[in-house]
Amino acid sequence: MRIFIACNYLGGGGAERVAVILANGFVARGHEVFIIADLERYRSYQLDSRVKELSLHTTGIGIKRRLIQGVKNMRRYAKLYHPDVIIGNMHICSLISRIGTIGMKIPVILTIHHALESDTYHFSRKIRFLDRYTLWMYPAFTVLTHPDKDCLKKREKYACVMPNPLTFVPVEEMPRKENIIMASGRLDDWKYKGWDILIKTWSKIASKYPDWKVLIVGTGSESSLNFLKNIATEHHVANRIEFLGFRNDIELLYKKSSIFLLSSRSEGLPMVLIEAMSQGCAPVATDFKGRTREIITTDSEGLLANPEDVDLLSEHISRLIDDPELLRKIQRGAVERSKYYLTDHILDFWEKYLNAVVS
């Protein structure tokens, strides 16, 4: 199959990383793959040499000119190479692909990489408009979870639940664990990531476990960092929580940590949780309207609580610390569950889906 993948650029966000993983995976399976992106911007994700690169638009021009140039380029490439299908990475690249191929009978698949609802994260007006009013343009599109599919109502039958692939290799033998509870995410997103909830949760039980500590990995502004440190001071755990900032050894930190705490008020499909599980962390997590339950399906894979339920989150952590056998059981179960998200498994889903769309 000849596949176009249109994405913003080859660096930065998680959605772009997924586009590169898919491109490399498809080409390794014998498909002919073209990735169409802004090739002049900094790239942090490397493509297989067999993936053909095409320029979506020029860097440094205004948004309107980028859109017009992108549409023209997409139409030119489609006429030249005749792809069987185009996978658009998020709304803008999908919209460029759809408009650029009007009248050409080439199916364009929109991939949505965010939750379609949130109680705390404020989507831009552009994203809300695109989510609500442009889905009819596509013969098929993907969402991350079944709760997101349920949000679509009239367009539900055109949606396919397609999780993002795991980029880490799940551990075969359990690493040597330390008395660490780890969390990861952007500090500036403290409200929907629930860093205040995490601090309050730990403050309830920290005095019982003097040989345990909490590590928070993630970048953020100085004001956000100071804000969270002040909350930690107010709850008497300032010396029991370490803010590590950006780390390029996060996989090693997962391996060392015994427990991973996800305290978000709302989430889509939290890949940091799956990454942590793959390295043997026992997850304690909040579940926003069934989305985290898509990952942690049983109590042998992790322990769940409703958002902002500080009491239950702290009880879960205490259970794991007080019962080493339960901790080890859930750590093993988490590793096994993470294998569902291995790239080859997700590629199997994609190939089946593409065959259905193209036929």
Side-chain angles (χ1 to χ4, degrees):
M1 188 178 296
R2 182 172 290 171
I3 303 169
F4 276 12
I5 298 177
C7 70
N8 188 20
Y9 67 119
L10 304 179
E16 287 79 16
R17 179 173 64 175
V18 170
V20 171
I21 291 171
L22 292 179
N24 291 343
F26 287 140
V27 81
R29 292 185 172 208
H31 300 284
E32 187 178 8
V33 180
F34 296 75
I35 198 155
I36 305 170
D38 184 343
L39 302 178
E40 299 175 24
R41 289 180 67 179
Y42 167 78
R43 65 172 68 188
S44 54
Y45 308 130
Q46 297 304 310
L47 284 170
D48 187 301
S49 61
R50 293 168 291 182
V51 176
K52 301 175 178 66
E53 300 180 16
L54 299 172
S55 176
L56 180 61
H57 50 62
T58 303
T59 301
I61 60 176
I63 180 64
K64 290 183 179 179
R65 289 183 62 194
R66 289 203 304 271
L67 292 174
I68 293 170
Q69 192 177 95
V71 167
K72 289 181 177 179
N73 284 341
M74 183 62 69
R75 191 164 190 84
R76 178 163 58 88
Y77 299 145
K79 288 181 176 180
L80 183 61
Y81 297 108
H82 305 287
D84 296 298
V85 65
I86 300 174
I87 299 172
N89 198 36
M90 301 188 294
H91 278 297
I92 297 302
C93 290
S94 299
L95 194 61
I96 287 172
S97 303
R98 184 67 189 90
I99 296 173
T101 57
I102 286 175
M104 299 182 71
K105 297 183 179 179
I106 299 171
V108 175
I109 300 173
L110 160 69
T111 62
I112 299 175
H113 290 270
H114 58 269
L116 292 177
E117 59 182 345
S118 172
D119 288 345
T120 52
Y121 184 81
H122 298 293
F123 299 110
S124 67
R125 285 184 295 177
K126 177 183 72 176
I127 294 298
R128 292 199 303 270
F129 176 85
L130 293 170
D131 281 345
R132 184 173 299 180
Y133 298 112
T134 66
L135 299 185
W136 63 269
M137 299 175 63
Y138 304 96
F141 53 92
T142 68
V143 293
L144 294 175
T145 66
H146 287 89
D148 289 309
K149 184 176 180 179
D150 293 341
C151 291
L152 295 169
K153 299 178 181 178
K154 293 181 180 180
R155 299 296 298 174
E156 180 181 359
K157 67 179 181 179
Y158 299 98
C160 175
V161 175
M162 190 68 70
N164 289 333
L166 174 66
T167 56
F168 290 3
V169 178
V171 296
E172 295 185 6
E173 295 185 6
M174 192 60 61
R176 183 187 178 99
K177 294 293 184 179
E178 300 178 16
N179 294 343
I180 296 172
I181 301 166
M182 183 180 165
S184 179
R186 294 181 298 273
L187 300 187
D188 293 334
D189 295 331
W190 68 267
K191 187 171 184 180
Y192 88 87
K193 289 295 183 183
W195 296 130
D196 56 326
I197 296 170
L198 180 149
I199 294 168
K200 293 172 186 176
T201 296
W202 182 226
S203 72
K204 280 183 165 292
I205 57 175
S207 61
K208 293 171 56 179
Y209 308 109
D211 57 339
W212 282 73
K213 62 182 176 181
V214 171
L215 304 180
I216 298 178
V217 178
T219 59
S221 65
E222 186 175 351
S223 61
S224 294
L225 177 60
N226 290 335
F227 172 75
L228 295 172
K229 283 184 174 180
N230 287 337
I231 296 177
T233 299
E234 290 171 9
H235 288 81
H236 311 292
V237 289
N239 63 338
R240 304 290 306 281
I241 298 176
E242 296 180 28
F243 293 90
L244 302 183
F246 171 78
R247 295 290 291 261
N248 56 16
D249 62 344
I250 193 167
E251 187 172 355
L252 177 61
L253 292 174
Y254 286 143
K255 284 183 166 69
K256 289 182 177 180
S257 302
S258 293
I259 297 169
F260 187 85
L261 177 55
L262 183 85
S263 55
S264 303
R265 289 181 168 89
S266 59
E267 279 285 357
L269 188 79
M271 291 306 297
V272 291
L273 178 63
I274 303 171
E275 290 172 353
M277 291 168 66
S278 75
Q279 304 307 301
C281 295
V284 174
T286 51
D287 177 47
F288 176 66
K289 298 184 178 181
R291 287 171 173 81
T292 309
R293 176 61 75 183
E294 297 262 304
I295 300 170
I296 300 172
T297 61
T298 69
D299 288 347
S300 64
E301 298 165 356
L303 302 177
L304 294 175
N306 289 326
E308 303 200 58
D309 193 339
V310 170
D311 291 335
L312 186 53
L313 288 171
S314 59
E315 288 174 20
H316 284 335
I317 294 172
S318 290
R319 281 184 63 197
L320 293 176
I321 295 176
D322 293 339
D323 188 342
E325 183 54 40
L326 176 63
L327 177 62
R328 288 190 290 271
K329 176 185 175 182
I330 293 180
Q331 287 171 338
R332 292 191 295 268
V335 173
E336 288 305 308
R337 174 58 183 161
S338 74
K339 294 176 182 177
Y340 177 85
Y341 298 94
L342 284 169
T343 298
D344 275 345
H345 196 206
I346 302 304
L347 284 170
D348 289 341
F349 294 155
W350 264 108
E351 286 188 326
K352 182 178 179 180
Y353 185 50
L354 293 181
N355 287 329
V357 170
V358 171
S359 62

